[in-house]
Amino acid sequence: MSKSGRTAVQSVTKVPFARRFATWRGHHRLARHDTLERLGRHWVSTLLTALVMGVVLSLPAALSMGVLTLDAALAEVDRGDSITVMTHDSVSLEQASALSQELASLALVESVSVVSKEQALEELSQWLGLSPEVLTSLGNPLPHSISLTLSSTQTAALQAFTEQLASNPLVADVLLDMEWLSRLQSIALFGERLMWAFVAIALLACLLIIGNTVRLAVESRRQEILVTKLVGANNAYVMRPFLYTGFAYGAAGGLVALLIAYSVKYWLGGPIEALANSYQAPYFTLRFPLSLAFALLVTAIVLGMVGAWVSARRQLKLIEPR
Protein backbone atom coordinates (compact mmCIF):
# COMPACT_ATOMS: atom_id res chain seq x y z
CA MET A 1 0.00 0.00 0.00
CA SER A 2 1.28 3.48 -0.85
CA LYS A 3 1.95 6.20 1.65
CA SER A 4 -1.13 8.13 0.53
CA GLY A 5 -3.26 5.00 1.02
CA ARG A 6 -2.01 4.53 4.59
CA THR A 7 -2.75 8.19 5.32
CA ALA A 8 -6.26 7.80 3.96
CA VAL A 9 -6.92 4.74 6.15
CA GLN A 10 -5.60 6.50 9.25
CA SER A 11 -7.77 9.55 8.61
CA VAL A 12 -10.84 7.37 8.21
CA THR A 13 -10.27 5.29 11.38
CA LYS A 14 -9.52 8.26 13.63
CA VAL A 15 -12.43 8.94 16.00
CA PRO A 16 -13.18 12.60 16.76
CA PHE A 17 -12.82 13.78 20.32
CA ALA A 18 -16.45 14.88 20.54
CA ARG A 19 -17.63 11.39 19.61
CA ARG A 20 -15.26 9.75 22.09
CA PHE A 21 -16.42 12.12 24.81
CA ALA A 22 -20.06 11.39 24.02
CA THR A 23 -19.35 7.65 24.20
CA TRP A 24 -17.59 8.13 27.54
CA ARG A 25 -20.56 10.07 28.90
CA GLY A 26 -22.93 7.39 27.66
CA HIS A 27 -20.94 4.68 29.43
CA HIS A 28 -21.06 6.64 32.70
CA ARG A 29 -24.78 7.25 32.35
CA LEU A 30 -25.41 3.53 31.81
CA ALA A 31 -23.17 2.69 34.79
CA ARG A 32 -25.12 5.09 37.04
CA HIS A 33 -28.47 3.70 35.96
CA ASP A 34 -27.27 0.13 36.38
CA THR A 35 -25.89 0.89 39.85
CA LEU A 36 -29.08 2.58 41.06
CA GLU A 37 -31.20 -0.25 39.68
CA ARG A 38 -29.15 -2.93 41.41
CA LEU A 39 -29.04 -1.04 44.71
CA GLY A 40 -32.78 -0.53 44.53
CA ARG A 41 -33.40 -4.24 43.96
CA HIS A 42 -31.30 -5.06 47.04
CA TRP A 43 -32.45 -2.12 49.14
CA VAL A 44 -32.30 -4.02 52.44
CA SER A 45 -28.59 -4.82 52.15
CA THR A 46 -27.94 -1.33 50.79
CA LEU A 47 -29.68 0.24 53.77
CA LEU A 48 -27.82 -1.98 56.25
CA THR A 49 -24.45 -1.10 54.72
CA ALA A 50 -25.27 2.62 54.80
CA LEU A 51 -26.40 2.35 58.43
CA VAL A 52 -23.21 0.55 59.48
CA MET A 53 -21.06 3.18 57.74
CA GLY A 54 -23.10 5.98 59.28
CA VAL A 55 -22.80 4.61 62.80
CA VAL A 56 -19.04 4.12 62.41
CA LEU A 57 -18.53 7.65 61.06
CA SER A 58 -20.80 9.22 63.66
CA LEU A 59 -18.46 8.23 66.51
CA PRO A 60 -15.56 10.51 65.50
CA ALA A 61 -18.10 13.16 64.46
CA ALA A 62 -19.60 13.18 67.96
CA LEU A 63 -16.13 13.30 69.54
CA SER A 64 -15.10 16.16 67.28
CA MET A 65 -18.24 18.01 68.39
CA GLY A 66 -17.12 17.72 72.00
CA VAL A 67 -13.53 18.72 71.21
CA LEU A 68 -14.63 21.79 69.23
CA THR A 69 -16.95 22.82 72.06
CA LEU A 70 -14.20 22.48 74.67
CA ASP A 71 -11.69 24.35 72.50
CA ALA A 72 -14.14 27.21 72.00
CA ALA A 73 -14.79 27.39 75.74
CA LEU A 74 -11.06 27.42 76.49
CA ALA A 75 -10.55 30.23 73.99
CA GLU A 76 -13.18 32.31 75.79
CA VAL A 77 -11.83 31.84 79.30
CA ASP A 78 -8.11 31.87 78.46
CA ARG A 79 -6.95 35.28 79.67
CA GLY A 80 -3.29 34.40 79.82
CA ASP A 81 -1.46 33.25 82.92
CA SER A 82 -2.43 35.19 86.01
CA ILE A 83 -1.55 35.17 89.68
CA THR A 84 -3.61 36.22 92.68
CA VAL A 85 -1.63 37.62 95.61
CA MET A 86 -3.41 37.30 98.98
CA THR A 87 -2.23 39.74 101.65
CA HIS A 88 -2.21 39.21 105.41
CA ASP A 89 -5.30 40.19 107.40
CA SER A 90 -3.39 43.00 109.07
CA VAL A 91 -2.47 44.66 105.74
CA SER A 92 -4.55 47.76 105.03
CA LEU A 93 -6.01 48.69 101.65
CA GLU A 94 -3.44 51.51 101.31
CA GLN A 95 -0.60 49.05 101.82
CA ALA A 96 -2.13 46.65 99.29
CA SER A 97 -2.44 49.50 96.75
CA ALA A 98 1.20 50.48 97.32
CA LEU A 99 2.24 46.86 96.82
CA SER A 100 0.25 46.70 93.58
CA GLN A 101 2.05 49.78 92.26
CA GLU A 102 5.35 48.18 93.15
CA LEU A 103 4.40 44.96 91.33
CA ALA A 104 3.13 46.85 88.28
CA SER A 105 6.66 48.14 87.64
CA LEU A 106 8.01 44.60 87.17
CA ALA A 107 8.78 43.51 83.61
CA LEU A 108 6.83 40.26 83.88
CA VAL A 109 3.58 41.98 84.88
CA GLU A 110 1.19 43.27 82.20
CA SER A 111 -1.67 44.53 84.36
CA VAL A 112 -2.56 44.83 88.05
CA SER A 113 -5.90 45.14 89.82
CA VAL A 114 -6.60 45.41 93.55
CA VAL A 115 -9.65 43.71 95.04
CA SER A 116 -10.55 44.96 98.51
CA LYS A 117 -11.96 42.64 101.13
CA GLU A 118 -15.32 44.40 100.78
CA GLN A 119 -15.41 43.78 97.04
CA ALA A 120 -14.38 40.17 97.57
CA LEU A 121 -17.19 39.71 100.10
CA GLU A 122 -19.73 41.20 97.72
CA GLU A 123 -18.60 38.90 94.91
CA LEU A 124 -18.79 35.92 97.25
CA SER A 125 -22.32 36.84 98.32
CA GLN A 126 -23.42 37.12 94.68
CA TRP A 127 -21.89 33.76 93.90
CA LEU A 128 -23.63 32.15 96.88
CA GLY A 129 -26.91 33.92 96.13
CA LEU A 130 -27.01 35.64 99.52
CA SER A 131 -27.31 39.27 100.49
CA PRO A 132 -24.03 40.99 101.52
CA GLU A 133 -25.57 41.90 104.89
CA VAL A 134 -25.85 38.22 105.83
CA LEU A 135 -22.14 37.60 105.32
CA THR A 136 -21.16 40.94 106.85
CA SER A 137 -22.95 40.04 110.05
CA LEU A 138 -20.80 36.92 110.27
CA GLY A 139 -17.63 38.91 109.86
CA ASN A 140 -15.38 39.35 106.84
CA PRO A 141 -12.50 36.87 106.94
CA LEU A 142 -11.39 37.71 103.40
CA PRO A 143 -8.13 39.67 102.94
CA HIS A 144 -7.25 42.23 100.32
CA SER A 145 -5.94 40.66 97.14
CA ILE A 146 -4.01 41.70 94.04
CA SER A 147 -4.65 40.10 90.65
CA LEU A 148 -1.68 40.08 88.26
CA THR A 149 -1.77 39.28 84.55
CA LEU A 150 1.62 38.07 83.35
CA SER A 151 3.35 38.34 80.00
CA SER A 152 5.30 35.08 80.21
CA THR A 153 3.90 31.56 80.22
CA GLN A 154 7.17 29.74 80.82
CA THR A 155 7.05 27.42 83.80
CA ALA A 156 10.49 28.40 85.10
CA ALA A 157 9.69 32.11 84.94
CA LEU A 158 6.35 31.61 86.69
CA GLN A 159 7.91 29.55 89.45
CA ALA A 160 10.68 32.08 90.10
CA PHE A 161 8.19 34.95 90.10
CA THR A 162 5.88 33.10 92.50
CA GLU A 163 8.76 32.50 94.92
CA GLN A 164 9.68 36.18 94.71
CA LEU A 165 6.14 37.23 95.58
CA ALA A 166 5.86 34.73 98.45
CA SER A 167 8.98 36.17 100.09
CA ASN A 168 7.32 39.58 100.50
CA PRO A 169 6.31 40.15 104.17
CA LEU A 170 2.93 41.59 103.16
CA VAL A 171 1.97 38.49 101.15
CA ALA A 172 0.20 35.61 102.86
CA ASP A 173 -0.31 33.34 99.86
CA VAL A 174 0.20 33.25 96.09
CA LEU A 175 -2.35 31.49 93.90
CA LEU A 176 -1.86 30.53 90.27
CA ASP A 177 -5.36 31.13 88.89
CA MET A 178 -4.76 29.32 85.62
CA GLU A 179 -3.62 25.99 87.01
CA TRP A 180 -7.15 24.63 86.50
CA LEU A 181 -7.08 25.87 82.92
CA SER A 182 -3.82 24.02 82.28
CA ARG A 183 -5.45 20.83 83.53
CA LEU A 184 -8.45 21.49 81.33
CA GLN A 185 -6.16 22.03 78.34
CA SER A 186 -4.52 18.68 79.06
CA ILE A 187 -7.97 17.06 79.04
CA ALA A 188 -8.73 18.82 75.75
CA LEU A 189 -5.47 17.55 74.25
CA PHE A 190 -6.33 14.02 75.36
CA GLY A 191 -9.79 14.37 73.82
CA GLU A 192 -8.31 15.62 70.56
CA ARG A 193 -5.90 12.71 70.29
CA LEU A 194 -8.67 10.29 71.20
CA MET A 195 -10.78 11.84 68.43
CA TRP A 196 -8.02 11.32 65.84
CA ALA A 197 -7.63 7.72 67.02
CA PHE A 198 -11.34 7.16 66.45
CA VAL A 199 -11.06 8.88 63.06
CA ALA A 200 -8.32 6.45 61.99
CA ILE A 201 -10.33 3.47 63.24
CA ALA A 202 -13.47 4.72 61.48
CA LEU A 203 -11.62 5.25 58.19
CA LEU A 204 -10.18 1.75 58.29
CA ALA A 205 -13.54 0.23 59.24
CA CYS A 206 -15.33 2.02 56.39
CA LEU A 207 -12.70 0.90 53.88
CA LEU A 208 -13.13 -2.69 55.04
CA ILE A 209 -16.93 -2.46 54.88
CA ILE A 210 -16.97 -1.03 51.37
CA GLY A 211 -14.20 -3.34 50.19
CA ASN A 212 -15.99 -6.46 51.36
CA THR A 213 -19.34 -5.29 49.94
CA VAL A 214 -17.85 -4.51 46.53
CA ARG A 215 -15.91 -7.78 46.52
CA LEU A 216 -19.15 -9.70 46.95
CA ALA A 217 -20.77 -7.60 44.23
CA VAL A 218 -17.94 -8.39 41.81
CA GLU A 219 -18.17 -12.11 42.57
CA SER A 220 -21.92 -12.10 42.02
CA ARG A 221 -21.36 -10.66 38.52
CA ARG A 222 -18.42 -12.84 37.63
CA GLN A 223 -19.97 -14.42 34.51
CA GLU A 224 -21.21 -11.04 33.29
CA ILE A 225 -17.73 -9.58 33.71
CA LEU A 226 -16.16 -12.48 31.82
CA VAL A 227 -18.51 -11.96 28.88
CA THR A 228 -17.88 -8.22 28.91
CA LYS A 229 -14.12 -8.76 28.82
CA LEU A 230 -14.47 -11.31 26.01
CA VAL A 231 -16.00 -8.66 23.75
CA GLY A 232 -13.09 -6.30 24.42
CA ALA A 233 -13.97 -4.27 27.53
CA ASN A 234 -11.06 -3.22 29.71
CA ASN A 235 -10.93 -3.09 33.51
CA ALA A 236 -11.68 0.65 33.60
CA TYR A 237 -14.96 0.09 31.73
CA VAL A 238 -15.96 -2.85 33.94
CA MET A 239 -15.01 -0.98 37.12
CA ARG A 240 -17.28 2.03 36.57
CA PRO A 241 -20.48 0.53 38.06
CA PHE A 242 -18.57 -0.50 41.17
CA LEU A 243 -17.13 2.99 41.59
CA TYR A 244 -20.64 4.39 41.45
CA THR A 245 -21.64 1.74 43.98
CA GLY A 246 -18.92 2.97 46.31
CA PHE A 247 -20.04 6.56 45.72
CA ALA A 248 -23.63 5.67 46.59
CA TYR A 249 -22.66 3.77 49.73
CA GLY A 250 -20.37 6.60 50.85
CA ALA A 251 -22.98 9.30 50.26
CA ALA A 252 -25.67 7.30 52.07
CA GLY A 253 -23.34 6.50 54.96
CA GLY A 254 -22.30 10.15 55.24
CA LEU A 255 -25.93 11.29 55.35
CA VAL A 256 -26.70 8.74 58.07
CA ALA A 257 -23.67 9.94 60.07
CA LEU A 258 -24.85 13.56 59.74
CA LEU A 259 -28.33 12.58 60.86
CA ILE A 260 -26.92 10.84 63.94
CA ALA A 261 -24.53 13.72 64.73
CA TYR A 262 -27.24 16.38 64.52
CA SER A 263 -29.60 14.19 66.56
CA VAL A 264 -26.94 13.95 69.29
CA LYS A 265 -26.39 17.72 69.10
CA TYR A 266 -30.12 18.37 69.47
CA TRP A 267 -30.49 15.80 72.27
CA LEU A 268 -27.56 17.11 74.33
CA GLY A 269 -27.97 20.77 73.41
CA GLY A 270 -30.73 21.52 75.92
CA PRO A 271 -28.99 20.18 79.06
CA ILE A 272 -25.66 21.73 78.08
CA GLU A 273 -27.31 25.10 77.44
CA ALA A 274 -29.02 24.94 80.84
CA LEU A 275 -25.69 24.09 82.49
CA ALA A 276 -23.95 26.95 80.66
CA ASN A 277 -26.64 29.42 81.74
CA SER A 278 -26.35 28.30 85.36
CA TYR A 279 -22.63 29.15 85.26
CA GLN A 280 -23.23 32.29 83.19
CA ALA A 281 -21.14 30.87 80.34
CA PRO A 282 -23.23 31.33 77.17
CA TYR A 283 -20.22 30.52 74.99
CA PHE A 284 -20.26 26.90 76.19
CA THR A 285 -22.57 25.39 73.56
CA LEU A 286 -22.24 22.32 71.37
CA ARG A 287 -20.55 23.18 68.09
CA PHE A 288 -20.93 21.27 64.83
CA PRO A 289 -20.22 23.77 62.03
CA LEU A 290 -21.31 23.31 58.44
CA SER A 291 -17.67 22.98 57.37
CA LEU A 292 -17.32 19.89 59.56
CA ALA A 293 -20.58 18.45 58.21
CA PHE A 294 -19.39 19.02 54.64
CA ALA A 295 -16.01 17.45 55.41
CA LEU A 296 -17.75 14.42 56.94
CA LEU A 297 -19.92 13.92 53.85
CA VAL A 298 -17.01 14.36 51.43
CA THR A 299 -14.83 11.99 53.48
CA ALA A 300 -17.55 9.34 53.42
CA ILE A 301 -17.89 9.61 49.63
CA VAL A 302 -14.13 9.47 49.09
CA LEU A 303 -13.87 6.45 51.39
CA GLY A 304 -16.63 4.70 49.46
CA MET A 305 -14.98 5.30 46.09
CA VAL A 306 -11.47 4.43 47.30
CA GLY A 307 -12.64 1.24 48.98
CA ALA A 308 -14.61 0.26 45.88
CA TRP A 309 -11.69 1.02 43.56
CA VAL A 310 -9.17 -1.00 45.58
CA SER A 311 -11.47 -3.99 46.01
CA ALA A 312 -12.79 -4.02 42.44
CA ARG A 313 -9.33 -3.58 40.94
CA ARG A 314 -7.99 -6.52 42.94
CA GLN A 315 -10.93 -8.77 42.06
CA LEU A 316 -10.99 -7.85 38.36
CA LYS A 317 -7.35 -8.91 38.02
CA LEU A 318 -8.45 -12.38 39.11
CA ILE A 319 -11.28 -12.52 36.56
CA GLU A 320 -9.76 -12.98 33.13
CA PRO A 321 -11.19 -14.99 30.21
CA ARG A 322 -9.17 -18.10 29.29
Side-chain angles (χ1 to χ4, degrees), residues 2 30 68 73 109 142 149 181 187 194 196 246 271 289 293 303:
S2 62
L30 291 175
L68 289 176
V109 178
L142 300 176
T149 301
L181 183 58
I187 295 175
L194 183 64
W196 284 115
L303 282 175

Side-chain angles (χ1 to χ4, degrees), residues 133-280:
E133 291 77 10
V134 174
L135 295 180
T136 304
S137 62
L138 299 176
N140 188 354
L142 300 176
H144 302 298
S145 62
I146 304 172
S147 180
L148 307 176
T149 301
L150 308 181
S151 60
S152 176
T153 59
Q154 297 180 0
T155 305
L158 290 177
Q159 184 176 0
F161 186 69
T162 302
E163 293 175 355
Q164 179 184 355
L165 291 175
S167 63
N168 192 297
L170 300 179
V171 175
D173 196 7
V174 179
L175 304 177
L176 282 173
D177 292 347
M178 305 306 288
E179 285 184 352
W180 64 272
L181 183 58
S182 299
R183 298 188 185 100
L184 199 59
Q185 288 172 342
S186 299
I187 295 175
L189 179 60
F190 171 76
E192 183 177 348
R193 294 187 178 182
L194 183 64
M195 179 196 70
W196 284 115
F198 271 88
V199 167
I201 294 173
L203 295 181
L204 180 59
C206 288
L207 287 176
L208 293 176
I209 293 169
I210 294 296
N212 185 64
T213 303
V214 171
R215 181 184 64 82
L216 295 176
V218 172
E219 286 296 326
S220 65
R221 301 171 61 178
R222 188 181 187 91
Q223 296 302 321
E224 177 186 343
I225 293 172
L226 284 173
V227 173
T228 305
K229 285 191 172 184
L230 281 173
V231 298
N234 56 16
N235 284 338
Y237 177 86
V238 179
M239 194 183 296
R240 284 171 190 165
F242 302 109
L243 291 179
Y244 279 108
T245 300
F247 178 90
Y249 279 131
L255 292 175
V256 171
L258 287 178
L259 179 62
I260 295 175
Y262 278 109
S263 299
V264 171
K265 182 176 183 295
Y266 176 78
W267 184 50
L268 297 178
I272 290 181
E273 183 178 356
L275 180 63
N277 291 334
S278 66
Y279 282 96
Q280 298 181 352

Side-chain angles (χ1 to χ4, degrees), residues 58 128 195:
S58 65
L128 293 176
M195 179 196 70

